[in-house]
Amino acid sequence: MSSSSRRAVLRGLALAAAATAVPLSGRAPASASSGISHEGSSGTFHEGSSGAAGAPPLRQMRGMWIASVVNINWPSRTGLSAAQQKAEYVAWLDLARARGLNSVFVQIRPTADAFWPSPYEPWSQYLTGVQGGDPGYDPLAFLVAETHRRGLAFHAWFNPYRVSMQADPALLHPDHPGRRHPEWIVPYGGKLYYNPGMPEVRAFVQDAMMDAVTRYDIDGLHFDDYFYPVNTTAFDDSEAYARHGGGFPDLAAWRRENVDLLVREMQQRVRRAKPEVAWGISPSGIWRNRATDPLGSETGGGQSYDNLHADTRGWVKKGWLDYIAPQLYWYIGQSNADYAKLVPWWSDVAAGTGTQLWIGQAAYKAGAAGQPVEWSRPDELSRHLTLNQDHPEVGGDIWYNSGDVRDDRIGSISAVVTGHYTRPALPPLLPRLASGRAPGRPLVPLARLVDGGVELRVLATGRDVPFQYAIFRLDRPARPGDLADARHLIATVPAGRDLRWVDPAGTVGAHYHVVAVDRAGRLSPPSAGRRAVRAGRDPGR
């Protein structure tokens, strides 16, 4: 079919759908030619409207971290072939889908190296076992493509300043920036770091990370909790402080300003280069204790503001992040850091700022040897998500790490899935992107019973193919508010221009609506309803 003929067919289908749409108080007559009845969709869905009380959310961050440093998760070891590395990664994606997740956070720059052919830093040693060793393919291109192929969001996880997990600069690749610029390197604690207090270092690490942002189709740029490794002069940045620290009351204030500059400048660069990329950080979960600062939390643990020179609360209040995902790696009732006290504190910090709040969850502690007895409770993590429901600022969770999501010791992850992830969820939509152009309303010319369920045919409209489709099924015609939450959401499916998909639980008489979703998470109006019928002539053919 020529492109002009195809456009004519799509226009005809769109006009037919519009002609048969009726108010929800009534039913449209069945189409005599197709044997397929239609129903109106007016009023069934309003982005931003609230669904039924206690209903599963339409949007919720459900992510997991996939760590590459020292081969924690992927690749599982060095020396794997490209085919083996790819197979391992696909298995992680299959796990994410099986657990009801919608996003992965993949570490692609763990130690001032790269999981892509970077002009700034060498290939990561965690790919081949040798820093600078070519893995024989472009891992990042593969990671992004395979993640999107499964309808998942890909967040590229970077560590900005860590250079090496060992302390000898001579062991770095000969062309490593740390070898070319030894003055940039600070050894501390058996590791090597870039010096955050040198403006040229800050500019370089931004350039190195932005190379991946501009060249690859990533959905997010993500930092973890590592900035300065310690708050003492044992991290010897005295020369940089003498050169650049004038006007600051002390070393700590200067170091905090260095981290602030990195965070603010990264936001500016991402917004200029790719405004639809989400930018966020997952810091340690305590900003400051109340005993230190009246604005702090009722805790007694390590303080990111003081220990790592990371003013995490300030970043949120100043609007420098799209989201913050504090690592609340403590159990409910823990004396020095109670999860039940930290979630309300962070909710209060995020409220009214436009910064989304997602919670970093300690899957690695559940059922692990050596942890306090509270972590042996199979429902501890599920109780965390139940508590989150009382705080509307919490928009979801990220699980550390993928290996623990897979291992599911004591059934802790299964308890989360059965208790909280029974319906699919779309990733959150950043408020600053909500007003962008939404995808076109899809057409559903077919819903018929076949072997294995009900087959839907979904046609994309408009210039661009959506990222995915959200498919809703009801046992009756839709009513206002029915599509505002996930009560009737049965699947999120990678989109196509002309998609056929089978609902294995579908039956004759079921009513379907499809919503197109773009990469930013914006939604189309829902399709006109389509009632499933027994097999007959396909009017879309």
Side-chain angles (χ1 to χ4, degrees):
M1 179 184 294
S2 69
S3 60
S4 59
S5 299
R6 179 178 181 79
R7 285 194 297 269
V9 170
L10 287 174
R11 282 197 298 270
L13 288 168
L15 290 171
T20 56
V22 297
L24 286 175
S25 57
R27 287 281 304 279
S31 165
S33 63
S34 67
I36 298 175
S37 63
H38 295 258
E39 65 202 33
S41 61
S42 174
T44 62
F45 176 86
H46 297 284
E47 176 67 4
S49 65
S50 59
L58 183 63
R59 297 186 185 276
Q60 186 178 51
M61 170 49 64
R62 299 179 184 175
M64 70 179 183
W65 281 290
I66 301 177
S68 62
V69 65
V70 298
N71 299 106
I72 291 175
N73 298 133
W74 182 84
S76 62
R77 59 182 175 86
T78 58
L80 297 177
S81 67
Q84 290 171 319
Q85 290 182 3
K86 292 178 179 180
E88 281 194 353
Y89 184 72
V90 167
W92 288 124
L93 298 180
D94 291 343
L95 172 73
R97 293 289 297 189
R99 297 291 197 223
L101 308 184
N102 53 36
S103 306
V104 291
F105 294 73
V106 185
Q107 193 173 34
I108 63 166
R109 184 181 178 270
T111 50
D113 49 15
F115 274 60
W116 72 98
S118 168
Y120 295 94
E121 292 170 319
W123 285 109
S124 176
Q125 70 185 78
Y126 303 117
L127 288 167
T128 63
V130 178
Q131 191 170 69
D134 188 337
Y137 72 113
D138 184 340
L140 183 53
F142 173 81
L143 301 178
V144 171
E146 290 299 311
T147 302
H148 289 163
R149 188 169 289 124
R150 286 156 180 80
L152 299 167
F154 184 92
H155 293 257
W157 168 15
F158 302 84
N159 187 287
Y161 289 127
R162 185 173 59 202
V163 171
S164 181
M165 299 296 285
Q166 55 82 40
D168 185 358
L171 297 181
L172 298 175
H173 188 273
D175 291 331
H176 193 284
R179 293 284 292 277
R180 298 198 306 269
H181 299 280
E183 71 279 8
W184 290 5
I185 301 298
V186 180
Y188 173 77
K191 300 175 184 177
L192 298 174
Y193 298 87
Y194 284 135
N195 188 339
M198 301 178 69
E200 58 269 40
V201 167
R202 190 173 70 250
F204 174 82
V205 298
Q206 290 178 23
D207 290 342
M209 293 183 286
M210 287 301 299
D211 181 63
V213 174
T214 56
R215 291 171 54 197
Y216 295 87
D217 201 17
I218 67 173
D219 301 295
L221 186 156
H222 179 80
F223 284 2
D224 54 28
D225 57 324
Y226 291 97
F227 295 97
Y228 280 89
V230 70
N231 62 352
T232 72
T233 55
F235 184 86
D236 187 5
D237 53 357
S238 56
E239 289 187 15
Y241 181 47
R243 187 178 308 117
H244 303 291
F248 291 90
D250 53 35
L251 177 66
W254 173 70
R255 286 179 173 178
R256 268 191 302 277
E257 173 66 9
N258 294 330
V259 178
D260 278 358
L261 285 170
L262 175 70
V263 173
R264 185 168 70 246
E265 290 169 1
M266 285 305 300
Q267 179 202 46
Q268 294 167 350
R269 294 190 65 168
V270 171
R271 294 278 180 94
R272 285 196 302 266
K274 280 192 175 178
E276 296 203 349
V277 168
W279 153 236
I281 297 177
S282 179
S284 57
I286 298 174
W287 172 69
R288 300 190 94 184
N289 301 311
R290 188 169 297 170
T292 304
D293 189 316
L295 296 176
S297 52
E298 192 178 338
T299 50
Q303 307 171 112
S304 66
Y305 182 92
D306 303 273
N307 297 0
L308 304 176
H309 307 296
D311 184 9
T312 54
R313 179 182 181 276
W315 303 339
V316 174
K317 293 297 188 182
K318 294 170 184 174
W320 293 349
L321 302 174
D322 289 318
Y323 69 87
I324 194 162
Q327 299 172 20
L328 302 189
Y329 292 171
W330 301 284
Y331 57 82
I332 293 175
Q334 186 162 329
S335 59
N336 65 325
D338 185 349
Y339 183 91
K341 294 179 178 178
L342 280 161
V343 167
W345 187 87
W346 277 106
S347 297
D348 182 67
V349 169
T353 64
T355 302
Q356 303 219 355
L357 174 61
W358 309 333
I359 304 299
Q361 298 285 357
Y364 74 98
K365 288 188 174 180
Q371 293 295 335
V373 65
E374 288 81 1
W375 285 109
S376 66
R377 298 185 297 215
D379 67 341
E380 176 65 28
L381 292 172
S382 182
R383 292 171 65 220
H384 289 196
L385 271 64
T386 299
L387 187 151
N388 292 355
Q389 293 171 356
D390 294 331
H391 301 278
E393 294 81 10
V394 177
D397 305 86
I398 312 173
W399 301 91
Y400 187 82
N401 60 57
S402 58
D404 304 287
V405 172
R406 176 195 61 200
D407 295 345
D408 192 23
R409 290 179 302 273
I410 65 174
S412 60
I413 299 300
S414 292
V416 168
V417 172
T418 58
H420 300 277
Y421 292 173
T422 55
R423 291 289 184 180
L426 300 173
L429 173 64
L430 300 181
R432 64 181 176 84
L433 299 179
S435 61
R437 184 169 60 91
R441 180 191 191 193
L443 304 174
V444 185
L446 172 70
R448 65 177 179 181
L449 187 69
V450 297
D451 290 341
V454 168
E455 180 188 34
L456 299 182
R457 186 181 184 194
V458 184
L459 301 177
T461 63
R463 181 186 62 192
D464 300 322
V465 176
F467 177 54
Q468 58 184 348
Y469 294 124
I471 301 176
F472 297 82
R473 182 186 67 228
L474 299 89
D475 59 5
R476 53 170 172 75
R479 296 193 286 260
D482 274 343
L483 310 188
D485 54 49
R487 284 171 296 159
H488 306 293
L489 179 64
I490 60 169
T492 57
V493 180
R497 177 64 68 183
D498 184 344
L499 176 76
R500 290 177 183 266
W501 178 80
V502 174
D503 172 14
T507 58
V508 169
H511 298 254
Y512 291 90
H513 289 272
V514 178
V515 173
V517 187
D518 70 11
R519 286 273 304 287
R522 291 179 291 254
L523 308 183
S524 74
S527 69
R530 176 67 66 176
R531 185 172 181 269
V533 298
R534 298 191 183 279
R537 185 168 67 87
D538 179 355
R541 284 179 176 157

